[in-house]
Amino acid sequence: AQTVTQSQPEMSVQEAETVTLSCTYDTSESDYYLFWYKQPPSRQMILVIRQEAYKQQNATENRFSVNFQKAAKSFSLKISDSQLGDAAMYFCAYRSDNAGNMLTFGGGTRLMVKP
Amino acid sequence: KAGVTQTPRYLIKTRGQQVTLSCSPISGHRSVSWYQQTPGQGLQFLFEYFSETQRNKGNFPGRFSGRQFSNSRSEMNVSTLELGDSALYLCASSLTGTGYFSEQYFGPGTRLTVT
C-alpha cells in the first residue's frame, strides 16, 4: 500500500518570503500522480499543483513549484513571494495510475504567514 | 458551472443512529469519491463511484456504504453511528480519472457530530 508522509506539522513564513513544504511517499508503482492540495480554514480543498511521475520536469504554477525527486520518492512544494492568503493546511497526495481517483493523503502541514 | 455541493452542511446525531449524506457533483462529472477527515486519522478515502458502480473502496467497516444515482449524485450512509464517526466528510467529483488525468473538485464537506 502506498503511504504519504509530511514531516512538518506546522510551518511559518514571513510575507513575501519563500517557504518549502516537504513530502515523501512510498510506492512500488512506476506510474502515478502526485498533488499538493490547499485547505484554507473553513473553506474547500483546492488543487494547487500536480506532477505526473513520468515527467522529469518539475511542475510550476505561478508562485508554486515542486521539486520532484522520483528516485528519492520526494515531492516538496515551494511557495515564492508568500501572501497572507496562502495561510492554510497543505496536503500532499498520491494517486495511482490504475486505481481510479483514490487519493492517499499525507497528514498535512499547517502554513502560517506572518505580515 | 456550479461547484460540488454537499448536504447537509452540519449534522448532529446520537450513537446508534444512522445518517445519510448527499453529494451533487459538478455537471457532467461521473466520478464521485468520499473522504473522511478527522484530526487523529487525517484524510482517509472511503469509496469512489463511477457510473453508478463502486470502483474503489477504502479500509472502513461495512457500516459505511454508498451509492450513486444515474444523474451521478451520490449518497453515503453510516449505520449504527459511533463517537469515532464524528468527522468532516468530503466529497470530490471528476470527469473520469482512469487512464488520464482528470482533476478532482472537492465540496465544502458535511460536518457530522455524534454524541
Side-chain angles (χ1 to χ4, degrees), chain A residues 18-21 36-38 46-51 58-67 75-83 85-90 111 113:
Chain A
T18 296
V19 65
T20 298
L21 308 184
W36 280 98
Y37 281 90
K38 171 185 178 182
I46 58 172
L47 178 64
V48 174
I49 197 166
R50 79 170 190 270
Q51 175 80 43
N58 289 324
T60 299
E61 288 286 345
N62 301 313
R63 298 182 295 107
F64 299 88
S65 61
V66 299
N67 183 4
F75 182 62
S76 61
L77 174 69
K78 185 171 84 171
I79 306 174
S80 304
D81 185 27
S82 296
Q83 300 175 359
D86 294 334
M89 283 292 291
Y90 285 82
L111 178 66
V113 181

PDB file of all heavy atoms in Angstrom, chain A residues 18-21 36-38 46-51 58-67 75-83 85-90 111 113:
ATOM      1  N   THR A  18       9.982  33.031   0.887  1.00  0.00           N
ATOM      2  CA  THR A  18       9.790  31.722   0.270  1.00  0.00           C
ATOM      3  C   THR A  18       9.787  30.628   1.334  1.00  0.00           C
ATOM      4  O   THR A  18      10.542  30.700   2.310  1.00  0.00           O
ATOM      5  CB  THR A  18      10.911  31.452  -0.746  1.00  0.00           C
ATOM      6  OG1 THR A  18      10.817  32.416  -1.812  1.00  0.00           O
ATOM      7  CG2 THR A  18      10.795  30.049  -1.337  1.00  0.00           C
ATOM      8  N   VAL A  19       8.936  29.653   1.134  1.00  0.00           N
ATOM      9  CA  VAL A  19       8.862  28.536   2.077  1.00  0.00           C
ATOM     10  C   VAL A  19       8.750  27.232   1.292  1.00  0.00           C
ATOM     11  O   VAL A  19       8.190  27.210   0.184  1.00  0.00           O
ATOM     12  CB  VAL A  19       7.651  28.700   3.025  1.00  0.00           C
ATOM     13  CG1 VAL A  19       6.334  28.632   2.262  1.00  0.00           C
ATOM     14  CG2 VAL A  19       7.668  27.672   4.144  1.00  0.00           C
ATOM     15  N   THR A  20       9.321  26.182   1.849  1.00  0.00           N
ATOM     16  CA  THR A  20       9.270  24.867   1.204  1.00  0.00           C
ATOM     17  C   THR A  20       8.644  23.853   2.153  1.00  0.00           C
ATOM     18  O   THR A  20       9.075  23.710   3.297  1.00  0.00           O
ATOM     19  CB  THR A  20      10.677  24.394   0.807  1.00  0.00           C
ATOM     20  OG1 THR A  20      11.227  25.320  -0.141  1.00  0.00           O
ATOM     21  CG2 THR A  20      10.616  23.016   0.165  1.00  0.00           C
ATOM     22  N   LEU A  21       7.612  23.176   1.648  1.00  0.00           N
ATOM     23  CA  LEU A  21       6.932  22.133   2.416  1.00  0.00           C
ATOM     24  C   LEU A  21       7.388  20.771   1.894  1.00  0.00           C
ATOM     25  O   LEU A  21       7.458  20.561   0.681  1.00  0.00           O
ATOM     26  CB  LEU A  21       5.411  22.258   2.271  1.00  0.00           C
ATOM     27  CG  LEU A  21       4.798  23.634   2.552  1.00  0.00           C
ATOM     28  CD1 LEU A  21       3.276  23.563   2.460  1.00  0.00           C
ATOM     29  CD2 LEU A  21       5.240  24.173   3.883  1.00  0.00           C
ATOM     30  N   TRP A  36      -0.419  18.552  -4.625  1.00  0.00           N
ATOM     31  CA  TRP A  36      -0.499  19.373  -3.424  1.00  0.00           C
ATOM     32  C   TRP A  36      -1.874  20.039  -3.426  1.00  0.00           C
ATOM     33  O   TRP A  36      -2.258  20.681  -4.411  1.00  0.00           O
ATOM     34  CB  TRP A  36       0.593  20.435  -3.383  1.00  0.00           C
ATOM     35  CG  TRP A  36       1.911  19.908  -2.922  1.00  0.00           C
ATOM     36  CD1 TRP A  36       2.962  19.519  -3.689  1.00  0.00           C
ATOM     37  CD2 TRP A  36       2.323  19.715  -1.563  1.00  0.00           C
ATOM     38  NE1 TRP A  36       3.992  19.084  -2.900  1.00  0.00           N
ATOM     39  CE2 TRP A  36       3.630  19.193  -1.590  1.00  0.00           C
ATOM     40  CE3 TRP A  36       1.707  19.932  -0.317  1.00  0.00           C
ATOM     41  CZ2 TRP A  36       4.342  18.887  -0.423  1.00  0.00           C
ATOM     42  CZ3 TRP A  36       2.418  19.639   0.840  1.00  0.00           C
ATOM     43  CH2 TRP A  36       3.722  19.118   0.777  1.00  0.00           C
ATOM     44  N   TYR A  37      -2.575  19.840  -2.317  1.00  0.00           N
ATOM     45  CA  TYR A  37      -3.882  20.459  -2.122  1.00  0.00           C
ATOM     46  C   TYR A  37      -3.785  21.472  -0.997  1.00  0.00           C
ATOM     47  O   TYR A  37      -3.045  21.286  -0.033  1.00  0.00           O
ATOM     48  CB  TYR A  37      -4.944  19.417  -1.766  1.00  0.00           C
ATOM     49  CG  TYR A  37      -5.473  18.632  -2.937  1.00  0.00           C
ATOM     50  CD1 TYR A  37      -4.867  17.439  -3.322  1.00  0.00           C
ATOM     51  CD2 TYR A  37      -6.579  19.071  -3.654  1.00  0.00           C
ATOM     52  CE1 TYR A  37      -5.349  16.710  -4.397  1.00  0.00           C
ATOM     53  CE2 TYR A  37      -7.077  18.348  -4.728  1.00  0.00           C
ATOM     54  CZ  TYR A  37      -6.453  17.169  -5.094  1.00  0.00           C
ATOM     55  OH  TYR A  37      -6.941  16.449  -6.160  1.00  0.00           O
ATOM     56  N   LYS A  38      -4.581  22.526  -1.123  1.00  0.00           N
ATOM     57  CA  LYS A  38      -4.659  23.571  -0.108  1.00  0.00           C
ATOM     58  C   LYS A  38      -6.055  23.567   0.493  1.00  0.00           C
ATOM     59  O   LYS A  38      -7.049  23.539  -0.233  1.00  0.00           O
ATOM     60  CB  LYS A  38      -4.368  24.928  -0.762  1.00  0.00           C
ATOM     61  CG  LYS A  38      -4.612  26.145   0.109  1.00  0.00           C
ATOM     62  CD  LYS A  38      -4.396  27.417  -0.702  1.00  0.00           C
ATOM     63  CE  LYS A  38      -4.678  28.663   0.102  1.00  0.00           C
ATOM     64  NZ  LYS A  38      -4.498  29.894  -0.719  1.00  0.00           N
ATOM     65  N   ILE A  46      -8.676  22.838  -2.473  1.00  0.00           N
ATOM     66  CA  ILE A  46      -8.435  23.108  -3.889  1.00  0.00           C
ATOM     67  C   ILE A  46      -7.070  22.566  -4.302  1.00  0.00           C
ATOM     68  O   ILE A  46      -6.141  22.486  -3.498  1.00  0.00           O
ATOM     69  CB  ILE A  46      -8.515  24.616  -4.219  1.00  0.00           C
ATOM     70  CG1 ILE A  46      -7.503  25.403  -3.369  1.00  0.00           C
ATOM     71  CG2 ILE A  46      -9.918  25.147  -4.018  1.00  0.00           C
ATOM     72  CD1 ILE A  46      -7.391  26.842  -3.767  1.00  0.00           C
ATOM     73  N   LEU A  47      -6.982  22.187  -5.564  1.00  0.00           N
ATOM     74  CA  LEU A  47      -5.732  21.677  -6.098  1.00  0.00           C
ATOM     75  C   LEU A  47      -4.773  22.833  -6.358  1.00  0.00           C
ATOM     76  O   LEU A  47      -5.130  23.811  -6.995  1.00  0.00           O
ATOM     77  CB  LEU A  47      -5.997  20.912  -7.398  1.00  0.00           C
ATOM     78  CG  LEU A  47      -4.771  20.351  -8.127  1.00  0.00           C
ATOM     79  CD1 LEU A  47      -4.087  19.294  -7.266  1.00  0.00           C
ATOM     80  CD2 LEU A  47      -5.179  19.767  -9.471  1.00  0.00           C
ATOM     81  N   VAL A  48      -3.559  22.705  -5.860  1.00  0.00           N
ATOM     82  CA  VAL A  48      -2.537  23.725  -6.060  1.00  0.00           C
ATOM     83  C   VAL A  48      -1.676  23.384  -7.267  1.00  0.00           C
ATOM     84  O   VAL A  48      -1.456  24.217  -8.152  1.00  0.00           O
ATOM     85  CB  VAL A  48      -1.642  23.859  -4.807  1.00  0.00           C
ATOM     86  CG1 VAL A  48      -0.482  24.822  -5.064  1.00  0.00           C
ATOM     87  CG2 VAL A  48      -2.468  24.314  -3.609  1.00  0.00           C
ATOM     88  N   ILE A  49      -1.220  22.134  -7.312  1.00  0.00           N
ATOM     89  CA  ILE A  49      -0.295  21.744  -8.354  1.00  0.00           C
ATOM     90  C   ILE A  49      -0.246  20.227  -8.441  1.00  0.00           C
ATOM     91  O   ILE A  49      -0.511  19.537  -7.446  1.00  0.00           O
ATOM     92  CB  ILE A  49       1.114  22.336  -8.059  1.00  0.00           C
ATOM     93  CG1 ILE A  49       2.010  22.323  -9.279  1.00  0.00           C
ATOM     94  CG2 ILE A  49       1.762  21.654  -6.870  1.00  0.00           C
ATOM     95  CD1 ILE A  49       3.260  23.198  -9.136  1.00  0.00           C
ATOM     96  N   ARG A  50       0.052  19.716  -9.618  1.00  0.00           N
ATOM     97  CA  ARG A  50       0.153  18.270  -9.781  1.00  0.00           C
ATOM     98  C   ARG A  50       1.423  17.941 -10.553  1.00  0.00           C
ATOM     99  O   ARG A  50       1.961  18.766 -11.290  1.00  0.00           O
ATOM    100  CB  ARG A  50      -1.067  17.720 -10.516  1.00  0.00           C
ATOM    101  CG  ARG A  50      -1.037  17.916 -12.012  1.00  0.00           C
ATOM    102  CD  ARG A  50      -2.146  17.142 -12.700  1.00  0.00           C
ATOM    103  NE  ARG A  50      -1.993  17.133 -14.146  1.00  0.00           N
ATOM    104  CZ  ARG A  50      -2.511  18.032 -14.970  1.00  0.00           C
ATOM    105  NH1 ARG A  50      -3.197  19.043 -14.479  1.00  0.00           N
ATOM    106  NH2 ARG A  50      -2.346  17.922 -16.271  1.00  0.00           N
ATOM    107  N   GLN A  51       1.855  16.690 -10.382  1.00  0.00           N
ATOM    108  CA  GLN A  51       3.052  16.205 -11.068  1.00  0.00           C
ATOM    109  C   GLN A  51       2.790  14.789 -11.548  1.00  0.00           C
ATOM    110  O   GLN A  51       2.373  13.940 -10.747  1.00  0.00           O
ATOM    111  CB  GLN A  51       4.250  16.216 -10.119  1.00  0.00           C
ATOM    112  CG  GLN A  51       5.524  15.631 -10.668  1.00  0.00           C
ATOM    113  CD  GLN A  51       6.277  16.586 -11.582  1.00  0.00           C
ATOM    114  OE1 GLN A  51       6.408  17.768 -11.303  1.00  0.00           O
ATOM    115  NE2 GLN A  51       6.787  16.069 -12.688  1.00  0.00           N
ATOM    116  N   ASN A  58       9.935  19.486 -13.400  1.00  0.00           N
ATOM    117  CA  ASN A  58       9.154  19.869 -12.229  1.00  0.00           C
ATOM    118  C   ASN A  58       8.010  20.799 -12.629  1.00  0.00           C
ATOM    119  O   ASN A  58       8.190  21.724 -13.422  1.00  0.00           O
ATOM    120  CB  ASN A  58      10.042  20.569 -11.204  1.00  0.00           C
ATOM    121  CG  ASN A  58      11.004  19.609 -10.544  1.00  0.00           C
ATOM    122  OD1 ASN A  58      10.687  18.459 -10.292  1.00  0.00           O
ATOM    123  ND2 ASN A  58      12.206  20.097 -10.251  1.00  0.00           N
ATOM    124  N   ALA A  59       6.834  20.543 -12.043  1.00  0.00           N
ATOM    125  CA  ALA A  59       5.669  21.366 -12.345  1.00  0.00           C
ATOM    126  C   ALA A  59       5.778  22.744 -11.681  1.00  0.00           C
ATOM    127  O   ALA A  59       6.363  22.883 -10.598  1.00  0.00           O
ATOM    128  CB  ALA A  59       4.404  20.656 -11.868  1.00  0.00           C
ATOM    129  N   THR A  60       5.202  23.720 -12.348  1.00  0.00           N
ATOM    130  CA  THR A  60       5.181  25.095 -11.834  1.00  0.00           C
ATOM    131  C   THR A  60       3.812  25.713 -12.130  1.00  0.00           C
ATOM    132  O   THR A  60       3.275  25.522 -13.227  1.00  0.00           O
ATOM    133  CB  THR A  60       6.274  25.949 -12.505  1.00  0.00           C
ATOM    134  OG1 THR A  60       7.543  25.382 -12.223  1.00  0.00           O
ATOM    135  CG2 THR A  60       6.245  27.372 -11.988  1.00  0.00           C
ATOM    136  N   GLU A  61       3.265  26.376 -11.149  1.00  0.00           N
ATOM    137  CA  GLU A  61       2.011  27.120 -11.308  1.00  0.00           C
ATOM    138  C   GLU A  61       2.169  28.463 -10.608  1.00  0.00           C
ATOM    139  O   GLU A  61       2.009  28.576  -9.410  1.00  0.00           O
ATOM    140  CB  GLU A  61       0.829  26.355 -10.684  1.00  0.00           C
ATOM    141  CG  GLU A  61       0.383  25.125 -11.420  1.00  0.00           C
ATOM    142  CD  GLU A  61      -0.371  25.445 -12.701  1.00  0.00           C
ATOM    143  OE1 GLU A  61      -0.802  26.608 -12.878  1.00  0.00           O
ATOM    144  OE2 GLU A  61      -0.502  24.526 -13.529  1.00  0.00           O
ATOM    145  N   ASN A  62       2.519  29.463 -11.384  1.00  0.00           N
ATOM    146  CA  ASN A  62       2.699  30.820 -10.849  1.00  0.00           C
ATOM    147  C   ASN A  62       3.723  30.813  -9.707  1.00  0.00           C
ATOM    148  O   ASN A  62       4.885  30.486  -9.927  1.00  0.00           O
ATOM    149  CB  ASN A  62       1.351  31.390 -10.397  1.00  0.00           C
ATOM    150  CG  ASN A  62       0.360  31.450 -11.535  1.00  0.00           C
ATOM    151  OD1 ASN A  62       0.677  31.905 -12.634  1.00  0.00           O
ATOM    152  ND2 ASN A  62      -0.848  30.969 -11.293  1.00  0.00           N
ATOM    153  N   ARG A  63       3.312  31.139  -8.491  1.00  0.00           N
ATOM    154  CA  ARG A  63       4.257  31.213  -7.366  1.00  0.00           C
ATOM    155  C   ARG A  63       4.550  29.841  -6.743  1.00  0.00           C
ATOM    156  O   ARG A  63       5.367  29.739  -5.819  1.00  0.00           O
ATOM    157  CB  ARG A  63       3.688  32.136  -6.288  1.00  0.00           C
ATOM    158  CG  ARG A  63       3.474  33.577  -6.724  1.00  0.00           C
ATOM    159  CD  ARG A  63       2.967  34.438  -5.587  1.00  0.00           C
ATOM    160  NE  ARG A  63       1.634  34.036  -5.130  1.00  0.00           N
ATOM    161  CZ  ARG A  63       1.409  33.418  -3.984  1.00  0.00           C
ATOM    162  NH1 ARG A  63       2.406  33.126  -3.161  1.00  0.00           N
ATOM    163  NH2 ARG A  63       0.176  33.088  -3.645  1.00  0.00           N
ATOM    164  N   PHE A  64       3.901  28.819  -7.232  1.00  0.00           N
ATOM    165  CA  PHE A  64       4.043  27.490  -6.665  1.00  0.00           C
ATOM    166  C   PHE A  64       4.862  26.604  -7.596  1.00  0.00           C
ATOM    167  O   PHE A  64       4.600  26.558  -8.806  1.00  0.00           O
ATOM    168  CB  PHE A  64       2.661  26.853  -6.443  1.00  0.00           C
ATOM    169  CG  PHE A  64       1.789  27.620  -5.482  1.00  0.00           C
ATOM    170  CD1 PHE A  64       0.977  28.648  -5.932  1.00  0.00           C
ATOM    171  CD2 PHE A  64       1.782  27.313  -4.135  1.00  0.00           C
ATOM    172  CE1 PHE A  64       0.170  29.370  -5.048  1.00  0.00           C
ATOM    173  CE2 PHE A  64       0.983  28.014  -3.244  1.00  0.00           C
ATOM    174  CZ  PHE A  64       0.174  29.044  -3.704  1.00  0.00           C
ATOM    175  N   SER A  65       5.816  25.901  -7.043  1.00  0.00           N
ATOM    176  CA  SER A  65       6.610  24.975  -7.839  1.00  0.00           C
ATOM    177  C   SER A  65       6.946  23.772  -6.967  1.00  0.00           C
ATOM    178  O   SER A  65       6.876  23.835  -5.735  1.00  0.00           O
ATOM    179  CB  SER A  65       7.888  25.637  -8.355  1.00  0.00           C
ATOM    180  OG  SER A  65       8.702  26.053  -7.275  1.00  0.00           O
ATOM    181  N   VAL A  66       7.271  22.684  -7.644  1.00  0.00           N
ATOM    182  CA  VAL A  66       7.622  21.473  -6.901  1.00  0.00           C
ATOM    183  C   VAL A  66       9.036  21.048  -7.226  1.00  0.00           C
ATOM    184  O   VAL A  66       9.581  21.388  -8.272  1.00  0.00           O
ATOM    185  CB  VAL A  66       6.636  20.310  -7.196  1.00  0.00           C
ATOM    186  CG1 VAL A  66       5.226  20.687  -6.772  1.00  0.00           C
ATOM    187  CG2 VAL A  66       6.706  19.892  -8.648  1.00  0.00           C
ATOM    188  N   ASN A  67       9.606  20.289  -6.311  1.00  0.00           N
ATOM    189  CA  ASN A  67      10.879  19.609  -6.536  1.00  0.00           C
ATOM    190  C   ASN A  67      10.580  18.125  -6.439  1.00  0.00           C
ATOM    191  O   ASN A  67      10.393  17.591  -5.337  1.00  0.00           O
ATOM    192  CB  ASN A  67      11.918  20.043  -5.509  1.00  0.00           C
ATOM    193  CG  ASN A  67      13.276  19.406  -5.774  1.00  0.00           C
ATOM    194  OD1 ASN A  67      13.463  18.690  -6.764  1.00  0.00           O
ATOM    195  ND2 ASN A  67      14.227  19.663  -4.905  1.00  0.00           N
ATOM    196  N   PHE A  75       8.752  14.865  -2.813  1.00  0.00           N
ATOM    197  CA  PHE A  75       7.894  15.770  -3.598  1.00  0.00           C
ATOM    198  C   PHE A  75       7.617  17.008  -2.755  1.00  0.00           C
ATOM    199  O   PHE A  75       6.631  17.062  -2.035  1.00  0.00           O
ATOM    200  CB  PHE A  75       6.598  15.038  -3.955  1.00  0.00           C
ATOM    201  CG  PHE A  75       5.636  15.826  -4.807  1.00  0.00           C
ATOM    202  CD1 PHE A  75       5.990  16.257  -6.078  1.00  0.00           C
ATOM    203  CD2 PHE A  75       4.352  16.112  -4.359  1.00  0.00           C
ATOM    204  CE1 PHE A  75       5.100  16.963  -6.870  1.00  0.00           C
ATOM    205  CE2 PHE A  75       3.446  16.821  -5.138  1.00  0.00           C
ATOM    206  CZ  PHE A  75       3.829  17.245  -6.400  1.00  0.00           C
ATOM    207  N   SER A  76       8.486  17.990  -2.838  1.00  0.00           N
ATOM    208  CA  SER A  76       8.331  19.177  -1.989  1.00  0.00           C
ATOM    209  C   SER A  76       7.670  20.307  -2.760  1.00  0.00           C
ATOM    210  O   SER A  76       7.772  20.387  -3.988  1.00  0.00           O
ATOM    211  CB  SER A  76       9.683  19.618  -1.431  1.00  0.00           C
ATOM    212  OG  SER A  76      10.557  19.952  -2.486  1.00  0.00           O
ATOM    213  N   LEU A  77       7.008  21.165  -2.031  1.00  0.00           N
ATOM    214  CA  LEU A  77       6.308  22.314  -2.606  1.00  0.00           C
ATOM    215  C   LEU A  77       6.995  23.596  -2.168  1.00  0.00           C
ATOM    216  O   LEU A  77       7.198  23.809  -0.971  1.00  0.00           O
ATOM    217  CB  LEU A  77       4.850  22.350  -2.127  1.00  0.00           C
ATOM    218  CG  LEU A  77       4.028  23.584  -2.538  1.00  0.00           C
ATOM    219  CD1 LEU A  77       3.761  23.578  -4.036  1.00  0.00           C
ATOM    220  CD2 LEU A  77       2.719  23.643  -1.747  1.00  0.00           C
ATOM    221  N   LYS A  78       7.353  24.432  -3.134  1.00  0.00           N
ATOM    222  CA  LYS A  78       7.940  25.728  -2.833  1.00  0.00           C
ATOM    223  C   LYS A  78       6.935  26.816  -3.155  1.00  0.00           C
ATOM    224  O   LYS A  78       6.385  26.859  -4.261  1.00  0.00           O
ATOM    225  CB  LYS A  78       9.227  25.941  -3.631  1.00  0.00           C
ATOM    226  CG  LYS A  78       9.947  27.232  -3.249  1.00  0.00           C
ATOM    227  CD  LYS A  78      11.325  27.341  -3.882  1.00  0.00           C
ATOM    228  CE  LYS A  78      11.269  27.888  -5.280  1.00  0.00           C
ATOM    229  NZ  LYS A  78      12.607  28.191  -5.832  1.00  0.00           N
ATOM    230  N   ILE A  79       6.714  27.677  -2.180  1.00  0.00           N
ATOM    231  CA  ILE A  79       5.836  28.826  -2.371  1.00  0.00           C
ATOM    232  C   ILE A  79       6.706  30.071  -2.326  1.00  0.00           C
ATOM    233  O   ILE A  79       7.349  30.358  -1.308  1.00  0.00           O
ATOM    234  CB  ILE A  79       4.746  28.908  -1.282  1.00  0.00           C
ATOM    235  CG1 ILE A  79       3.972  27.590  -1.201  1.00  0.00           C
ATOM    236  CG2 ILE A  79       3.801  30.080  -1.565  1.00  0.00           C
ATOM    237  CD1 ILE A  79       2.970  27.522  -0.062  1.00  0.00           C
ATOM    238  N   SER A  80       6.734  30.776  -3.410  1.00  0.00           N
ATOM    239  CA  SER A  80       7.536  32.006  -3.504  1.00  0.00           C
ATOM    240  C   SER A  80       6.657  33.216  -3.251  1.00  0.00           C
ATOM    241  O   SER A  80       5.434  33.169  -3.479  1.00  0.00           O
ATOM    242  CB  SER A  80       8.164  32.124  -4.896  1.00  0.00           C
ATOM    243  OG  SER A  80       8.921  30.991  -5.204  1.00  0.00           O
ATOM    244  N   ASP A  81       7.283  34.294  -2.756  1.00  0.00           N
ATOM    245  CA  ASP A  81       6.545  35.544  -2.529  1.00  0.00           C
ATOM    246  C   ASP A  81       5.261  35.265  -1.743  1.00  0.00           C
ATOM    247  O   ASP A  81       4.138  35.592  -2.180  1.00  0.00           O
ATOM    248  CB  ASP A  81       6.235  36.215  -3.871  1.00  0.00           C
ATOM    249  CG  ASP A  81       5.582  37.563  -3.724  1.00  0.00           C
ATOM    250  OD1 ASP A  81       5.803  38.219  -2.684  1.00  0.00           O
ATOM    251  OD2 ASP A  81       4.824  37.966  -4.632  1.00  0.00           O
ATOM    252  N   SER A  82       5.396  34.641  -0.608  1.00  0.00           N
ATOM    253  CA  SER A  82       4.243  34.215   0.186  1.00  0.00           C
ATOM    254  C   SER A  82       3.282  35.364   0.465  1.00  0.00           C
ATOM    255  O   SER A  82       3.699  36.495   0.763  1.00  0.00           O
ATOM    256  CB  SER A  82       4.716  33.611   1.508  1.00  0.00           C
ATOM    257  OG  SER A  82       5.462  32.447   1.278  1.00  0.00           O
ATOM    258  N   GLN A  83       2.005  35.050   0.394  1.00  0.00           N
ATOM    259  CA  GLN A  83       0.964  36.039   0.651  1.00  0.00           C
ATOM    260  C   GLN A  83       0.099  35.577   1.820  1.00  0.00           C
ATOM    261  O   GLN A  83       0.047  34.385   2.140  1.00  0.00           O
ATOM    262  CB  GLN A  83       0.111  36.214  -0.607  1.00  0.00           C
ATOM    263  CG  GLN A  83       0.916  36.680  -1.801  1.00  0.00           C
ATOM    264  CD  GLN A  83       0.109  36.736  -3.084  1.00  0.00           C
ATOM    265  OE1 GLN A  83      -1.075  36.405  -3.114  1.00  0.00           O
ATOM    266  NE2 GLN A  83       0.759  37.140  -4.156  1.00  0.00           N
ATOM    267  N   GLY A  85      -2.941  35.186   1.990  1.00  0.00           N
ATOM    268  CA  GLY A  85      -3.936  34.222   1.532  1.00  0.00           C
ATOM    269  C   GLY A  85      -3.405  32.813   1.347  1.00  0.00           C
ATOM    270  O   GLY A  85      -4.172  31.884   1.104  1.00  0.00           O
ATOM    271  N   ASP A  86      -2.082  32.657   1.473  1.00  0.00           N
ATOM    272  CA  ASP A  86      -1.505  31.309   1.362  1.00  0.00           C
ATOM    273  C   ASP A  86      -1.649  30.526   2.666  1.00  0.00           C
ATOM    274  O   ASP A  86      -1.404  29.326   2.700  1.00  0.00           O
ATOM    275  CB  ASP A  86      -0.023  31.397   0.996  1.00  0.00           C
ATOM    276  CG  ASP A  86       0.212  31.961  -0.394  1.00  0.00           C
ATOM    277  OD1 ASP A  86      -0.685  31.836  -1.252  1.00  0.00           O
ATOM    278  OD2 ASP A  86       1.291  32.556  -0.619  1.00  0.00           O
ATOM    279  N   ALA A  87      -2.033  31.206   3.742  1.00  0.00           N
ATOM    280  CA  ALA A  87      -2.183  30.536   5.030  1.00  0.00           C
ATOM    281  C   ALA A  87      -3.290  29.483   4.930  1.00  0.00           C
ATOM    282  O   ALA A  87      -4.423  29.788   4.542  1.00  0.00           O
ATOM    283  CB  ALA A  87      -2.530  31.542   6.115  1.00  0.00           C
ATOM    284  N   ALA A  88      -2.943  28.239   5.238  1.00  0.00           N
ATOM    285  CA  ALA A  88      -3.881  27.130   5.070  1.00  0.00           C
ATOM    286  C   ALA A  88      -3.211  25.843   5.502  1.00  0.00           C
ATOM    287  O   ALA A  88      -2.022  25.821   5.829  1.00  0.00           O
ATOM    288  CB  ALA A  88      -4.304  27.008   3.595  1.00  0.00           C
ATOM    289  N   MET A  89      -3.995  24.759   5.472  1.00  0.00           N
ATOM    290  CA  MET A  89      -3.420  23.413   5.571  1.00  0.00           C
ATOM    291  C   MET A  89      -3.049  22.975   4.162  1.00  0.00           C
ATOM    292  O   MET A  89      -3.837  23.171   3.221  1.00  0.00           O
ATOM    293  CB  MET A  89      -4.439  22.433   6.155  1.00  0.00           C
ATOM    294  CG  MET A  89      -4.628  22.524   7.637  1.00  0.00           C
ATOM    295  SD  MET A  89      -3.178  21.977   8.567  1.00  0.00           S
ATOM    296  CE  MET A  89      -3.182  20.215   8.215  1.00  0.00           C
ATOM    297  N   TYR A  90      -1.890  22.397   4.029  1.00  0.00           N
ATOM    298  CA  TYR A  90      -1.442  21.884   2.734  1.00  0.00           C
ATOM    299  C   TYR A  90      -1.276  20.374   2.847  1.00  0.00           C
ATOM    300  O   TYR A  90      -0.601  19.870   3.744  1.00  0.00           O
ATOM    301  CB  TYR A  90      -0.129  22.540   2.308  1.00  0.00           C
ATOM    302  CG  TYR A  90      -0.328  23.958   1.834  1.00  0.00           C
ATOM    303  CD1 TYR A  90      -0.414  25.005   2.751  1.00  0.00           C
ATOM    304  CD2 TYR A  90      -0.445  24.250   0.482  1.00  0.00           C
ATOM    305  CE1 TYR A  90      -0.627  26.309   2.327  1.00  0.00           C
ATOM    306  CE2 TYR A  90      -0.646  25.552   0.043  1.00  0.00           C
ATOM    307  CZ  TYR A  90      -0.743  26.574   0.978  1.00  0.00           C
ATOM    308  OH  TYR A  90      -0.952  27.863   0.543  1.00  0.00           O
ATOM    309  N   LEU A 111       0.381  25.923   7.332  1.00  0.00           N
ATOM    310  CA  LEU A 111       1.255  27.043   6.987  1.00  0.00           C
ATOM    311  C   LEU A 111       0.679  28.340   7.528  1.00  0.00           C
ATOM    312  O   LEU A 111      -0.473  28.684   7.263  1.00  0.00           O
ATOM    313  CB  LEU A 111       1.421  27.160   5.465  1.00  0.00           C
ATOM    314  CG  LEU A 111       2.274  28.331   4.994  1.00  0.00           C
ATOM    315  CD1 LEU A 111       3.728  28.150   5.443  1.00  0.00           C
ATOM    316  CD2 LEU A 111       2.205  28.484   3.481  1.00  0.00           C
ATOM    317  N   VAL A 113       1.328  32.484   7.727  1.00  0.00           N
ATOM    318  CA  VAL A 113       2.026  33.568   7.045  1.00  0.00           C
ATOM    319  C   VAL A 113       1.980  34.805   7.928  1.00  0.00           C
ATOM    320  O   VAL A 113       0.902  35.300   8.270  1.00  0.00           O
ATOM    321  CB  VAL A 113       1.387  33.863   5.671  1.00  0.00           C
ATOM    322  CG1 VAL A 113       2.154  34.977   4.959  1.00  0.00           C
ATOM    323  CG2 VAL A 113       1.351  32.606   4.810  1.00  0.00           C
TER     324      VAL A 113
END
